[in-house]
């Protein structure tokens, strides 16, 4: 699933920070996905899932981080289009189809992620939003996968073996 780029020490360093946000999500009963956006060797946006807490299905880690970058650009008087084109997004789980579409629209050139998203992945697991020829969607972006894959999978397993207290009654695990 990775493009030809290799996993560098820099990618490992930044992904460790994204994992911290995923752990925070898990602590807060959210699907443990965390991400950061790096521009000019600094984190200018970070996020973790806030879907359950906000009851808003669009509050994925990537969208939270994108919103932070937009705020950062306003505060620093930087053009968001140029900032996104020169940034890297690090996320613990392959972006879903919705998030991959957003990342493509803002023209992120590189996404580094931990584990595949076999149900909703937009970077090759289900659809290839990151690389398919799509009308009116901005240029394709590269992906590097497998950075801290085992850690990302473990966080997901820890979440799914518990009960989601925010899930509707019809979706909760049945007690025997």
């Amino acid at each position: 699933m990775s493009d030809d780029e290799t996993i560098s020490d820099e990618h490992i360093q930044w992904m460790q920070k994204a994992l911290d946000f995923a752990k925070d999500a898990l602590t807060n009963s959210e699907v443990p996905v965390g991400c950061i956006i790096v521009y000019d060797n600094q984190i200018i946006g970070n996020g973790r899932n806030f879907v359950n807490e906000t009851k808003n299905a669009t509050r994925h880690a990537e969208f939270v981080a994108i919103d932070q970058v937009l705020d950062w650009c306003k505060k620093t008087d930087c053009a968001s289009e140029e900032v996104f084109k020169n940034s890297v997004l690090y996320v613990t789980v392959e972006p879903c189809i919705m998030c991959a579409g957003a990342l493509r629209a803002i023209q992120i050139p590189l996404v580094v992620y931990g584990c595949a998203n076999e149900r909703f992945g937009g970077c090759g697991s289900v659809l290839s939003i990151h690389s398919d020829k799509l009308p009116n969607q901005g240029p394709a972006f590269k992906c590097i996968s497998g950075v801290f894959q085992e850690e990302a999978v473990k966080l997901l397993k820890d979440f799914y073996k518990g009960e989601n207290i925010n899930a509707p009654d019809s979706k909760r695990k049945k007690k025997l």
Side-chain angles (χ1 to χ4, degrees):
M1 190 145 347
S2 285
D3 289 328
D4 292 332
E5 195 165 334
T6 59
I7 298 171
S8 69
D9 289 342
E10 182 179 15
H11 294 322
I12 290 168
Q13 168 201 341
W14 292 122
M15 186 61 83
Q16 286 176 320
K17 303 223 185 269
L19 277 167
D20 290 339
F21 290 100
K23 291 173 187 171
D24 185 55
L26 180 61
T27 300
N28 287 282
S29 301
E30 292 283 352
V31 176
V33 178
C35 79
I36 61 171
I37 297 177
V38 176
Y39 171 75
D40 198 24
N41 209 34
Q42 65 178 320
I43 298 171
I44 59 170
N46 62 69
R48 66 160 176 87
N49 278 4
F50 278 95
V51 171
N52 292 331
E53 290 175 70
T54 62
K55 309 271 189 267
N56 181 339
T58 68
R59 301 318 299 155
H60 288 199
E62 296 93 333
F63 276 82
V64 173
I66 288 168
D67 287 346
Q68 286 187 4
V69 171
L70 291 170
D71 289 343
W72 181 88
C73 288
K74 286 178 189 169
K75 290 176 188 168
T76 59
D77 198 31
C78 291
S80 61
E81 298 82 12
E82 287 305 310
V83 170
F84 284 123
K85 286 180 185 178
N86 292 290
S87 296
V88 177
L89 183 130
Y90 294 85
V91 62
T92 57
V93 178
E94 175 186 2
C96 71
I97 294 164
M98 173 181 71
C99 291
L103 295 170
R104 184 133 176 205
I106 63 171
Q107 300 185 29
I108 286 276
L110 177 62
V111 171
V112 179
Y113 65 89
C115 65
N117 182 342
E118 299 295 335
R119 290 186 68 195
F120 307 109
C123 297
S125 290
V126 176
L127 294 177
S128 297
I129 302 297
H130 74 298
S131 62
D132 282 349
K133 291 184 193 252
L134 301 170
N136 306 318
Q137 254 308 316
F141 61 86
K142 292 183 180 181
C143 292
I144 299 173
S145 64
V147 183
F148 288 109
Q149 176 177 335
E150 294 81 15
E151 291 84 347
V153 168
K154 182 184 180 318
L155 289 171
L156 291 169
K157 285 181 177 179
D158 288 347
F159 175 80
Y160 285 110
K161 73 181 171 191
E163 182 167 351
N164 181 354
I165 59 170
N166 295 305
D169 288 337
S170 64
K171 298 290 185 185
R172 289 201 180 166
K173 293 182 179 177
K174 304 289 186 229
K175 303 282 184 203
L176 297 176

